[in-house]
């Protein structure tokens, strides 16, 4: 039985996450997912919309995932690989080369998976922010129009 391990924040779970997890699972028989804790995200300068508990619950509900574990540091990857007897470590190709050392340290294979084009959590957050900004401008325009009407009275 081959065990595969990947990590991520998995905030605003979307089709790109599903595709990544499906491809990761296809590499083996069991998929373990390390989901970044809120504290670890803070150390990385990130803030998630959903809490670690909610993100872990969402990821764990995905049919490709067998186990979700907390990711609380960069250094834990080697320990997790040994603890869970991992055969393949995989992560998105935006990390190419960053985790090659894990192969030497643990003997597991390291694979980088192509990201789904045209979707990312950053893109989703930007789109939401744009919608909020547009709505805010619309409301401010309406308020300004009302002020002008009141001033004419």
């Amino acid at each position: 039985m081959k065990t595969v391990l990947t990590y991520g924040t998995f905030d605003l779970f979307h089709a790109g996450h599903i595709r990544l997890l499906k491809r990761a699972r296809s590499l083996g028989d069991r998929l373990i997912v390390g989901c970044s804790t809120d504290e670890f995200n803070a150390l990385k300068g990130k803030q998630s919309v959903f809490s670690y508990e909610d993100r872990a619950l969402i990821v764990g509900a995905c049919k490709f995932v067998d186990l979700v574990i907390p990711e609380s540091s960069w250094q834990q990857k080697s320990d997790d690989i040994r603890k869970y007897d991992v055969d393949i470590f995989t992560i998105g190709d935006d990390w190419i080369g960053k985790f090659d050392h894990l192969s030497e340290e643990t003997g597991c294979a390291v694979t980088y998976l192509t990201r789904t084009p045209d979707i990312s959590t950053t893109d989703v957050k930007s789109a939401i922010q744009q919608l909020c900004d547009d709505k805010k401008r619309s409301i401010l325009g309406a308020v300004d129009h009302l002020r002008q009407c009141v001033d004419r009275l």
Side-chain angles (χ1 to χ4, degrees):
M1 181 161 105
K2 280 191 178 178
T3 299
V4 180
L5 175 64
T6 193
Y7 292 88
T9 301
F10 300 101
D11 197 21
L12 299 178
F13 202 71
H14 53 72
H17 293 133
I18 295 287
R19 290 182 182 117
L20 177 79
L21 295 173
K22 182 178 182 181
R23 285 182 285 149
R25 176 57 186 270
S26 74
L27 298 173
D29 305 299
R30 182 171 90 139
L31 177 60
I32 300 171
V33 177
C35 186
S36 299
T37 62
D38 297 329
E39 296 78 15
F40 185 43
N41 278 340
L43 291 173
K44 295 187 285 184
K46 294 172 106 180
Q47 184 176 4
S48 295
V49 172
F50 295 111
S51 69
Y52 164 76
E53 291 78 14
D54 288 346
R55 290 181 287 111
L57 180 67
I58 292 165
V59 170
C62 179
K63 70 180 183 178
F64 306 113
V65 176
D66 296 292
L67 176 65
V68 177
I69 60 173
E71 179 190 26
S72 55
S73 74
W74 293 110
Q75 297 77 23
Q76 82 179 68
K77 289 173 179 58
S78 293
D79 291 338
D80 288 345
I81 289 167
R82 289 183 190 96
K83 179 178 179 178
Y84 296 103
D85 197 24
V86 171
D87 300 288
I88 302 168
F89 171 84
T90 190
I91 200 156
D93 64 359
D94 50 329
W95 293 98
I96 285 180
K98 302 272 195 234
F99 297 106
D100 291 349
H101 67 279
L102 293 174
S103 180
E104 297 163 16
E105 290 174 18
T106 66
C108 77
V110 175
T111 307
Y112 300 95
L113 297 175
T114 305
R115 292 178 59 94
T116 301
D118 301 326
I119 188 162
S120 71
T121 301
T122 302
D123 292 343
V124 173
K125 286 180 178 180
S126 293
I128 291 168
Q129 186 62 53
Q130 184 63 48
L131 289 171
C132 291
D133 291 347
D134 290 349
K135 190 66 158 177
K136 183 178 175 183
R137 278 191 293 278
S138 175
I139 291 169
L140 290 174
V143 168
D144 187 47
H145 178 72
L146 287 172
R147 279 190 187 135
Q148 290 173 12
C149 289
V150 169
D151 288 345
R152 289 184 197 134
L153 295 177

